[in-house]
């Protein structure tokens, strides 16, 4: 389906809610959309031994958050490479933040003063922004125009995760709830034993959930204040997708 307006989107959802699944479905339904993952960008930089990658590597290895200024450089480089930003981040930021302070639309002409509404400049950001500071920074260079909060009851997600079994050699995934192996505990094709991922357990999930709650609440608040937040709920990915498509169509197609 063709977009009429540029979609600049982030999905916010608890671990296990199926953000990846929804992203894939959105990308195939709306081919103009592209996904930008800061985790992937960072890992590429590390692999290529760029100055930025070398700087970020230690923090990433320790499981910490990479510095905001490094993240800003990373994301603005990427947007510039794609042709969606036409000035250095510093110029963009100061011009945009002045405009934001005025509380007005920008009407004069500098090429970077207003984000393109060209539908080919449409993206879903994955992994960024993670904090309100990053969200404010991003809004000043290229404002998000739709933040979707994906909601599935935690008990349902937990159920799904703890009933997940994998056949490691092939990567085949089973779920005792809705996609059970023919013989319990055995791979359908090879008959080999299935295992559970180390992080597919209650304790690890609860920890990740707690961290998600702490970081997502201020982000949700940020986007609610901007008037771009919508909530889409469902018990499964299949229930969520049509509602999500609907939101997209309302905003970017009609
Ligand atoms: P994860 O979901 O495990 O955090 P990602 O692939 O999204 O995986 O990110 C990998 C690492 O990259 C993170 O652990 C963090 O160190 C860094 N990173 C990614 N996005 C950001 C961000 N928005 N702010 C700070 N650090 C980030």
């Amino acid at each position: 389906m063709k977009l009429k307006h540029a979609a600049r989107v982030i999905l916010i959802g608890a671990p296990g809610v199926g953000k990846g699944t929804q992203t894939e479905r959105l990308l195939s339904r709306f081919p103009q959309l592209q996904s930008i993952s800061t985790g992937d960008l960072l890992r590429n930089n590390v692999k290529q031994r760029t100055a930025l990658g070398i700087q970020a590597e230690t923090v990433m290895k320790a499981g910490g958050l990479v510095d905001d200024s490094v993240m800003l450089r990373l994301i603005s480089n990427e947007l510039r490479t794609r042709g969606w930003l036409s000035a250095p981040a510093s110029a963009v930021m100061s011009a945009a933040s002045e405009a934001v302070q005025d509380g007005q639309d920008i009407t004069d002409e500098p090429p970077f003063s207003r984000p393109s509404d060209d539908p080919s400049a449409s993206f879903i950001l994955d992994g960024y922004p993670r904090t309100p500071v990053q969200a404010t920074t991003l809004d000043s260079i290229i404002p998000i125009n739709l933040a979707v909060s994906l909601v599935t009851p935690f008990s349902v997600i937990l159920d799904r995760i703890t009933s997940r079994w994998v056949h490691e050699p092939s990567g085949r995934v089973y779920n005792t709830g809705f996609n059970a192996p023919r013989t319990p505990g055995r791979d359908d094709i090879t008959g080999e034993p299935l295992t559970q991922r180390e992080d597919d357990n209650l304790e690890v999930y609860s920890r990740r959930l707690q961290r998600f709650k702490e970081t997502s609440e201020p982000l949700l608040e940020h986007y609610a204040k901007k008037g771009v937040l919508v909530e889409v709920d469902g018990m499964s990915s299949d229930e969520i997708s049509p509602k999500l498509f609907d939101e997209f169509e309302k905003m970017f197609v009609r």
Side-chain angles (χ1 to χ4, degrees):
M1 189 172 282
K2 261 189 116 148
L3 302 170
K4 285 205 184 113
H5 312 284
R8 298 183 292 271
V9 179
I10 66 163
L11 303 181
I12 302 169
V17 79
K19 262 190 314 182
T21 305
Q22 299 304 339
T23 301
E24 272 170 35
R25 291 179 181 176
L26 285 168
L27 295 181
S28 66
R29 186 170 179 92
F30 304 101
Q32 288 151 304
L33 268 181
Q34 300 178 57
S35 165
I36 303 179
S37 150
T38 45
D40 288 349
L41 292 178
L42 282 169
R43 280 184 290 272
N44 279 343
N45 274 275
V46 171
K47 212 168 7 173
Q48 289 164 15
R49 310 309 298 157
T50 66
L52 193 151
I54 292 166
Q55 206 179 338
E57 189 175 24
T58 330
V59 183
M60 288 172 73
K61 278 205 176 129
L65 283 184
V66 174
D67 231 43
D68 283 345
S69 62
V70 175
M71 291 308 296
L72 171 62
R73 247 192 304 143
L74 181 81
I75 198 86
S76 55
N77 269 346
E78 181 64 20
L79 294 172
R80 222 172 11 252
T81 307
R82 289 170 185 253
W84 300 343
L85 272 187
S86 47
S90 56
V92 174
M93 282 196 60
S94 55
S97 57
E98 275 162 30
V100 169
Q101 273 161 17
D102 287 339
Q104 283 174 8
D105 258 3
I106 310 154
T107 44
D108 37 303
E109 278 307 27
F112 48 75
S113 64
R114 167 177 261 169
S116 160
D117 192 41
D118 187 328
S120 66
S122 289
F123 56 83
I124 303 183
L125 273 186
D126 177 7
Y128 189 90
R130 291 201 185 191
T131 63
V133 173
Q134 291 183 352
T136 306
T137 306
L138 180 66
D139 277 342
S140 71
I141 56 173
I142 189 160
I144 290 297
N145 55 13
L146 178 65
V148 186
S149 165
L150 300 176
V151 181
T152 298
F154 297 135
S155 59
V156 173
I157 300 180
L158 188 58
D159 225 38
R160 217 151 60 193
I161 288 178
T162 51
S163 46
R164 185 154 64 190
W165 291 83
V166 259
H167 176 242
E168 274 188 31
S170 68
R172 274 185 288 279
V173 179
Y174 299 89
N175 190 295
T176 51
F178 53 86
N179 173 30
R182 278 196 291 271
T183 311
R186 298 272 162 188
D187 178 43
D188 283 357
I189 313 251
T190 63
E192 289 168 347
L194 302 175
T195 53
Q196 287 206 289
R197 287 193 188 128
E198 241 173 69
D199 54 358
D200 284 355
N201 71 54
L202 179 64
E203 201 192 308
V204 174
Y205 180 74
S206 307
R207 246 196 335 259
R208 290 177 66 202
L209 185 60
Q210 191 52 39
R211 215 174 41 200
F212 165 75
K213 280 187 181 156
E214 284 161 15
T215 51
S216 66
E217 265 159 31
L219 261 192
L220 293 170
E221 227 168 87
H222 174 92
Y223 290 113
K225 265 195 219 138
K226 299 251 157 179
V228 298
L229 180 69
V230 300
E231 187 179 302
V232 175
D233 61 0
M235 306 293 272
S236 67
S237 296
D238 288 348
E239 202 183 317
I240 288 178
S241 293
K243 297 187 194 172
L244 184 57
F245 291 168
D246 214 46
E247 291 297 337
F248 259 71
E249 285 164 31
K250 261 197 293 196
M251 290 226 29
F252 305 120
V253 177
R254 284 170 208 159

